Amino acid sequence: MAFSENLQFIRTQAGVTQEQLAEQLEVSRQSVSKWEGGQSFPEMDTLLRICDLYDVNLDTLLRGSVEESRVSDTAQYDAFMNRFAKRIAGAVAAIIAAVGVFFPTSELWGGSTAELLAGTLFMLVVTVSVVVLVATGIQHGNFRKRYPVLADFYTQAEKDAFHQKFVWYIAGGVGAILFGVVLIFLFATVFGEEKQPYETLSTGLFLLLTAGAVYCFIYGGIMDDKYKIWKYNRDNNPTPEAKKKLDLIGVCCAVIMLAATAIYVALGLGFGRWGTESVWLFAVGGILCGAVSVILNPYKGED
């Protein structure tokens, strides 16, 4: 395979256009077009930059076949993403489930000791979950740095098989939330005159079902992205303009969640509102982060 074919292959695998590749290499689009057409050849420093950007051996780039060198999952990407999806989904679901278990339990038991114990256990679960989220995020970042470009080794049959499962992840999550809503109305109807402790119990059950639904949504979403190797390559090699927007999204989300945490702590220390009446702040923060991501998304319409 000639250099021109290798270059076209790795650019296509990375999900970038000729213009985007030209920006990364700081050359004109016409230069990239001529390289891929076999009409000219880049200088050595540019060749080395291509090798660094797309994790390819220089000899393979010039005289070998990049496509043949990337036919298998040499990076163990599939196993890594499976672990990543389970840890992220499990940590987020654990926080929601903890709210559904510990705070209703403290209200049902009553007494300051029960509230203190429930609050302590809740913070323990949150702490462990946050540690898992941070550590997993760092591992994911390191993996992407080590393997900036991957070949699409998944077969169409594997992708189709997952997509059939993906439908059930989403449908099951929606069904769990709707079932929780039905339980709340059922408890309210049957025990309308005796709201406590049935209202607290129904809220706890709803949150547990929501935790299961959130696990399905997050796990299914990450696994769906796992099969989009082109998206992994594109996001891992953003253009300067896209990188600015992605960095801005990260800063905005960090500020939003820090503000939510600060308000939550202030309400807890100042007014003793450590319970479910304040936890909703994190849900609002998550929604705002999602809105920011949609508004500033540099790849609108491409996904």
Side-chain angles (χ1 to χ4, degrees):
M1 184 178 286
F3 165 75
S4 58
E5 296 173 307
N6 280 328
L7 181 62
Q8 189 171 11
F9 171 77
I10 61 176
R11 179 180 62 78
T12 303
Q13 285 291 306
V16 299
T17 63
Q18 289 186 343
E19 291 85 353
Q20 292 170 334
L21 178 60
E23 288 183 20
Q24 293 174 346
L25 299 176
E26 298 180 352
V27 298
S28 66
R29 187 200 65 79
Q30 289 77 10
S31 295
V32 175
S33 179
K34 289 180 179 180
W35 297 342
E36 292 188 354
Q39 301 171 7
S40 64
F41 203 77
E43 297 180 355
M44 180 57 67
D45 59 341
T46 304
L47 288 171
L48 294 175
R49 191 166 184 180
I50 293 173
C51 292
D52 291 337
L53 280 173
Y54 296 101
D55 192 28
V56 60
N57 180 272
L58 180 61
D59 186 62
T60 303
L61 178 64
L62 296 179
R63 298 185 297 178
S65 172
V66 177
E67 184 175 7
E68 291 180 3
S69 69
R70 296 179 173 180
V71 295
S72 61
D73 185 12
T74 56
Q76 298 298 306
Y77 167 81
D78 186 77
F80 176 82
M81 289 303 295
N82 289 342
R83 293 193 301 270
F84 176 75
K86 291 177 182 178
R87 290 173 183 174
I88 294 296
V92 175
I95 295 175
I96 300 174
V99 179
V101 171
F102 295 124
F103 286 106
T105 300
S106 68
E107 292 185 20
L108 292 175
W109 285 349
S112 58
T113 302
E115 291 183 1
L116 179 61
L117 178 60
T120 302
L121 292 174
F122 171 73
M123 293 307 298
L124 178 62
V125 172
V126 171
T127 300
V128 173
S129 299
V130 170
V131 169
V132 171
L133 289 171
V134 172
T136 304
I138 293 174
Q139 289 179 335
H140 188 253
N142 291 337
F143 183 91
R144 295 177 76 97
K145 289 179 181 178
R146 185 177 181 184
Y147 302 103
V149 178
L150 296 174
D152 190 353
F153 55 88
Y154 291 112
T155 65
Q156 190 59 45
E158 290 174 322
K159 295 177 181 179
D160 292 341
F162 170 76
H163 288 150
Q164 293 187 8
K165 295 180 182 178
F166 180 67
V167 172
W168 290 104
Y169 284 126
I170 302 304
V174 172
I177 292 176
L178 292 177
F179 184 66
V181 173
V182 171
L183 280 181
I184 290 178
F185 279 108
L186 181 62
F187 274 70
T189 302
V190 177
F191 307 104
E193 298 180 357
E194 303 176 9
K195 288 188 176 181
Q196 290 292 345
Y198 303 108
E199 184 179 34
T200 300
L201 182 60
S202 63
T203 301
L205 291 174
F206 173 74
L207 289 172
L208 288 175
L209 289 169
T210 301
V214 168
Y215 182 92
C216 290
F217 293 149
I218 296 178
Y219 180 79
I222 294 176
M223 293 296 284
D224 183 49
D225 275 349
K226 181 186 79 170
Y227 290 94
K228 298 177 181 177
I229 301 295
W230 62 268
K231 185 177 179 182
Y232 172 94
N233 293 332
R234 181 202 65 186
D235 294 346
N236 218 27
N237 299 276
T239 63
E241 182 181 353
K243 189 175 186 305
K244 289 181 181 179
K245 288 188 176 182
L246 292 172
D247 290 341
L248 181 58
I249 291 173
V251 171
C252 290
C253 289
V255 170
I256 289 172
M257 296 312 296
L258 284 174
T261 303
I263 295 173
Y264 175 75
V265 172
L267 290 174
L269 295 176
F271 304 96
R273 296 182 177 179
W274 296 103
T276 54
E277 66 270 20
S278 298
V279 175
W280 59 269
L281 285 166
F282 295 103
V284 173
I287 294 173
L288 290 176
C289 286
V292 169
S293 298
V294 171
I295 294 172
L296 299 178
N297 180 19
Y299 304 116
K300 288 180 181 178
E302 294 184 19
D303 297 338

